[in-house]
């Protein structure tokens, strides 16, 4: 659906040319929600603006639905933009126009009767739940409502692609959730291809199918969200994920020396990751039943990445060495990820 | 109060209003497009054209730097060319328009600069043409500011029209000089000053009201 090949963007600045994008290759399939995550200044905003030519790439091509939009003249580009909706961090609504007129704006750019405008705006108002606010001005709306107007406006010209530029970054967590839900609904209902730019891993986790991590103008890592979450390769990816998933040890063990060999009175700490089906299976129970070991639960979360259950757990195991080894083998044979942290003594003073 | 004062005042007021209103209309019709060009041809704007913008800006600056009283005299040949005479109320409107156009242009440009870039970007992303952006985004969004700025221009036009009276343009300024000052009739001087004050108050009040009504922020 969207194909970016070798996109480069260089800006002229008083200090000399600045390379914002250094050869980006990206392919986004139809109907997918594709997340692009990066720190500010990583080039992600430039990248999304290259998709609809708000920024012209210095080199490289952007193909949307088989059409090379980098080669288009101004008037075909304007036509092509009508099938690419965009929403913004700061909503960018006309302050002088009502909610209704804002949503009607893209429609009125073409030759269309007011009757047809009404016929198109009404269902959009309903879709975003703002029918009763149709004749209010943006200044009278909350941030979440403004973004809903932005979404309705972006959908008015029935686009095939929706670009979201930090669409939830100016919103509180509650509102973010509802806006993301709305985006996901539209994605499913209209089989719209969605590109999401964000600096929050939570957004990626909640709605994206695939993700590209961008750092210093290049893609550091890309792939399926679940894979990236469970098996991040690059430090930048790990950093983004660590915001959501704490990798530190439970308080009772934190700061103590981790030894690869058993120490008297120590626990063998294991970090277990369950994905999908395995999150439902009684793996731990099975391990305890079949081996003579003591297991202490130290930490556990069960979450969802899009619709896939995803669990993380830290357990402490004590018992006979050989028996622990057999228990480890038992776990690794199962469909879950086992990471051996090491032998750690528990703080005497901290109560569990 | 002498018997001739009322007709004198009403005639002069009529001339002033005529000069200001007609000059303002003509100057606005030229000044708003000028302001739009000044803004949109600037760097990174929708019609960015560096050299054109520079030339336009220098012409505007050049005209604005000439004091009105000098401009009025300096363009007498042009005035004669346009209206066929260099004296009279209609003739006075030529320098009034020429002085106001660049003033309005700059004021409109300032108001347009206040429109957030993101709104223009959003319109571009929807496939709007530059003309559509000017008509449907820039001007409506900047309108409250433009109205407030135009109010200022009208008020300065009232002042300039009084100066234009000195070269035979008629109006309240002319009346105050010829009767109030040269014929030692302080009551006429006082009356014109009061009328001018009231006039300016009305313009300012109306301008503020309209700007406020249009502002939906």
């Amino acid at each position: 659906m969207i194909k970016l090949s070798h996109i480069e963007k260089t800006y002229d600045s008083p200090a000399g040319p600045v390379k914002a994008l250094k050869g980006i290759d990206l392919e986004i399939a139809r109907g997918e929600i594709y997340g692009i995550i990066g720190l500010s200044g990583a080039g992600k905003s430039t990248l999304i603006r290259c998709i609809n030519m708000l920024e012209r790439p210095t080199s490289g091509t952007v193909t949307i639905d088989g059409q090379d939009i980098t080669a288009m003249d101004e008037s075909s580009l304007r036509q092509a933009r009508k099938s690419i909706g965009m929403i913004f961090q700061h909503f960018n609504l006309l302050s002088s126009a009502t909610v209704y007129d804002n949503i009607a704006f893209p429609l009125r750019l073409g030759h269309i009767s007011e009757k047809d405008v009404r016929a198109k705006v009404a269902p959009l108002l309903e879709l975003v739940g703002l029918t009763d606010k149709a004749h209010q001005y943006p200044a009278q709306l909350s941030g979440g409502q403004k973004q809903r107007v932005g979404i309705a406006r972006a959908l008015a010209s029935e686009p095939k692609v929706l670009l979201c530029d930090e669409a939830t970054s100016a919103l509180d967590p509650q509102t973010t959730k509802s806006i993301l839900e709305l985006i996901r609904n539209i994605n499913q209902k209209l089989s719209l291809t969605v590109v999401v730019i964000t600096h929050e891993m939570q957004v990626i986790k909640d709605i994206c199918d695939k993700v590209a991590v961008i750092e210093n103008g290049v893609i550091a890592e890309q792939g399926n969200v679940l894979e990236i979450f469970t098996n991040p390769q690059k430090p930048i990816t790990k950093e983004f994920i660590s915001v959501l998933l704490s990798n530190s040890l439970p308080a009772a063990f934190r700061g103590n020396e981790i030894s690869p060999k058993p120490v008297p009175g120590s626990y063998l700490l294991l970090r277990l990751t369950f994905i999908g089906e395995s999150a439902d299976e009684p793996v731990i129970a099975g391990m305890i039943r079949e081996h003579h070991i003591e297991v202490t639960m130290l930490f556990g979360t069960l979450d969802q990445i899009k619709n896939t259950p995803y669990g993380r757990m830290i357990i402490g195991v004590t018992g006979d060495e050989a028996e622990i080894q057999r228990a480890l083998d038992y776990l690794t044979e199962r469909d879950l990820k086992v990471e051996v942290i090491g032998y750690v003594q528990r703080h005497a003073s901290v109560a569990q | 109060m002498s018997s001739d004062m009322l007709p004198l005042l009403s005639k002069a007021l009529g001339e002033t209003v005529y000069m200001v209103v007609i000059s303002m209309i003509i100057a606005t019709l030229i000044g708003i497009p000028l302001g739009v060009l000044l803004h949109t041809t600037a760097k990174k704007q929708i019609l960015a054209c560096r050299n054109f913008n520079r030339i336009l800006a220098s012409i505007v600056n050049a005209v604005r730097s000439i004091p009105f009283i000098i401009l009025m005299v300096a363009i007498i040949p042009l005035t004669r060319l346009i209206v066929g005479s260099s004296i009279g109320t209609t003739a006075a409107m030529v320098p009034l328009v020429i002085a106001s156009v660049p003033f309005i242009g700059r004021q409109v440009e300032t108001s347009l600069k206040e429109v957030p870039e993101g709104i223009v970007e959003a319109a571009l992303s929807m496939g709007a043409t530059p003309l559509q952006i000017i008509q449907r985004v820039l001007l409506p969004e900047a309108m409250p500011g433009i109205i407030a700025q135009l109010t200022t221009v009208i008020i300065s036009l009232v002042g300039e029209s009084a100066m234009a009276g000195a070269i035979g343009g008629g109006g309240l300024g002319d009346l105050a000089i010829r009767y109030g000052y040269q014929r030692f009739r302080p009551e006429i001087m006082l009356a014109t000053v009061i009328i001018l004050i009231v006039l300016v108050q009305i313009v300012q009040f109306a301008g503020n009201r309209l700007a406020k009504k249009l502002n939906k922020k």
Side-chain angles (χ1 to χ4, degrees):
Chain A
M1 183 68 198
I2 304 175
K3 189 164 186 265
L4 308 182
S5 324
H6 317 299
I7 297 293
E8 288 189 14
K9 176 75 188 181
T10 310
Y11 289 107
D12 287 321
S13 81
V18 178
K19 279 196 154 189
L21 299 175
K22 305 167 189 164
I24 300 272
D25 288 289
L26 208 61
E27 212 161 324
I28 301 171
R30 192 181 299 275
E32 216 164 51
I33 303 187
Y34 202 106
I36 297 171
I37 187 167
L39 300 169
S40 37
K44 56 191 193 303
S45 261
T46 308
L47 182 62
I48 201 168
R49 277 168 176 69
C50 282
I51 298 180
N52 62 357
M53 295 287 116
L54 284 177
E55 297 263 13
R56 219 163 244 290
T58 314
S59 67
T61 55
V62 179
T63 321
I64 296 180
D65 218 6
Q67 286 183 300
D68 178 1
I69 69 163
T70 29
M72 283 181 180
D73 60 22
E74 283 295 315
S75 106
S76 349
L77 178 60
R78 278 197 288 271
Q79 213 48 47
R81 276 175 177 162
K82 290 181 181 169
S83 59
I84 310 169
M86 188 167 188
I87 58 174
F88 304 85
Q89 178 174 5
H90 299 297
F91 325 122
N92 296 346
L93 304 176
L94 289 170
S95 69
S96 57
T98 60
V99 168
Y100 180 95
D101 289 331
N102 265 291
I103 299 173
F105 185 92
L107 298 169
R108 289 174 177 152
L109 294 176
H111 300 285
I112 180 169
S113 73
E114 277 307 305
K115 197 176 142 235
D116 291 344
V117 169
R118 220 169 320 150
K120 288 201 168 191
V121 174
L124 286 167
L125 278 167
E126 198 163 320
L127 177 73
V128 299
L130 289 175
T131 307
D132 55 329
K133 306 263 186 234
H135 299 292
Q136 299 205 344
Y137 287 91
Q140 297 163 281
L141 303 179
S142 70
Q145 289 169 331
K146 285 181 197 169
Q147 195 57 288
R148 284 168 183 274
V149 178
I151 291 172
R153 178 176 70 174
L155 296 178
S157 51
E158 294 171 12
K160 290 174 276 185
V161 175
L162 179 67
L163 306 177
C164 309
D165 181 21
E166 297 272 8
T168 57
S169 300
L171 304 174
D172 59 62
Q174 215 79 33
T175 316
T176 295
K177 228 178 182 103
S178 76
I179 292 292
L180 291 179
E181 226 161 82
L182 178 62
I183 293 174
R184 183 157 48 177
N185 281 346
I186 307 166
N187 159 257
Q188 284 163 356
K189 221 185 269 179
L190 310 173
S191 54
L192 198 68
T193 308
V194 181
V195 184
V196 173
I197 291 282
T198 183
H199 63 270
E200 295 165 312
M201 205 61 192
Q202 183 75 40
V203 173
I204 302 285
K205 183 182 135 242
D206 284 349
I207 63 166
C208 294
D209 302 299
K210 289 205 179 144
V211 60
V213 183
I214 181 166
E215 188 183 24
N216 298 324
V218 294
I219 292 179
E221 197 166 345
Q222 62 177 309
N224 199 296
V225 171
L226 203 58
E227 278 164 26
I228 297 281
F229 250 89
T230 49
N231 199 13
Q233 300 298 315
K234 297 283 166 60
I236 177 82
T237 317
K238 289 179 185 165
E239 213 177 297
F240 275 121
I241 292 171
S242 71
V243 176
L244 292 184
L245 309 172
S246 165
N247 259 339
S248 53
L249 294 184
F253 296 90
R254 207 171 297 154
N256 279 0
E257 203 185 322
I258 300 172
S259 141
K261 291 221 173 80
V263 187
S266 68
Y267 290 74
L268 175 63
L269 298 193
L270 304 175
R271 185 181 284 123
L272 310 177
T273 308
F274 307 83
I275 304 152
E277 299 286 290
S278 70
D280 300 333
E281 282 171 29
V283 182
I284 306 281
M287 177 181 78
I288 298 170
R289 202 178 325 112
E290 292 177 28
H291 306 87
H292 289 288
I293 50 168
E294 295 289 330
V295 173
T296 317
M297 293 281 194
L298 299 169
F299 169 82
T301 58
L302 188 60
D303 205 345
Q304 288 205 337
I305 295 175
K306 234 188 156 184
N307 293 319
T308 312
Y310 171 77
R312 278 162 58 92
M313 194 179 278
I314 295 178
I315 56 173
V317 184
T318 50
D320 177 63
E321 265 317 290
E323 199 63 19
I324 288 179
Q325 197 48 54
R326 271 199 296 280
L328 268 178
D329 293 342
Y330 174 89
L331 286 180
T332 25
E333 280 163 22
R334 299 297 181 282
D335 189 18
L336 78 166
K337 204 176 126 198
V338 185
E339 197 186 327
V340 179
I341 299 171
Y343 291 89
V344 187
Q345 279 175 316
R346 182 193 276 266
H347 288 297
S349 55
V350 181
Q352 181 65 32
Chain B
M1 197 157 100
S2 49
S3 61
D4 64 338
M5 201 167 129
L6 223 63
L8 277 175
L9 283 173
S10 68
K11 180 170 175 282
L13 177 64
E15 285 165 351
T16 293
V17 171
Y18 170 71
M19 274 192 287
V20 171
V21 169
I22 304 290
S23 316
M24 187 63 199
I25 290 171
I26 298 171
T28 306
L29 289 178
I30 308 170
I32 288 184
L34 174 66
V36 168
L37 278 180
L38 279 171
H39 176 69
T40 54
T41 59
K43 203 174 152 193
K44 286 187 172 174
Q45 299 301 331
I46 49 174
L47 295 172
C49 180
R50 201 172 175 183
N51 290 331
F52 179 81
N53 188 266
R54 274 190 187 160
I55 294 168
L56 204 61
S58 359
I59 296 173
V60 165
N61 288 344
V63 178
R64 288 202 61 196
S65 55
I66 306 170
F68 181 70
I69 195 119
I70 295 171
L71 178 83
M72 207 164 53
V73 182
I75 62 158
I76 283 178
L78 180 70
T79 308
R80 217 173 260 150
L81 196 74
I82 296 172
V83 296
S85 159
S86 64
I87 43 174
T89 314
T90 310
M93 288 192 308
V94 176
L96 286 177
V97 168
I98 290 178
S100 303
V101 165
F103 189 21
I104 294 175
R106 280 292 185 211
Q107 302 277 49
V108 169
E109 183 196 10
T110 308
S111 297
L112 293 175
K113 271 197 187 131
E114 307 271 308
V115 178
E117 258 174 68
I119 302 185
V120 175
E121 196 181 42
L124 281 173
S125 81
M126 290 180 254
T129 63
L131 191 64
Q132 285 173 327
I133 291 177
I134 291 167
Q135 289 174 328
R136 303 177 190 199
V137 178
L138 289 175
L139 288 175
E141 285 294 295
M143 205 36 88
I146 291 176
I147 295 295
Q149 307 275 33
L150 290 183
T151 308
T152 314
V153 178
I154 297 177
I155 289 167
S156 72
L157 256 179
V158 172
E160 285 162 358
S161 77
M163 264 188 257
I167 60 156
L172 288 166
D174 182 41
L175 182 74
I177 298 282
R178 282 195 293 127
Y179 285 74
Y181 179 64
Q182 287 164 351
R183 298 189 191 176
F184 305 106
R185 291 182 61 177
E187 77 281 8
I188 290 202
M189 183 68 96
L190 187 66
T192 43
V193 169
I194 290 170
I195 291 175
L196 284 170
I197 290 172
V198 172
L199 199 61
V200 168
Q201 297 286 357
I202 291 171
V203 169
Q204 188 66 60
F205 177 77
N208 289 351
R209 281 292 291 269
L210 187 58
K212 201 176 164 199
K213 188 167 175 273
L214 289 173
N215 193 350
K216 305 294 184 190
K217 274 186 197 163

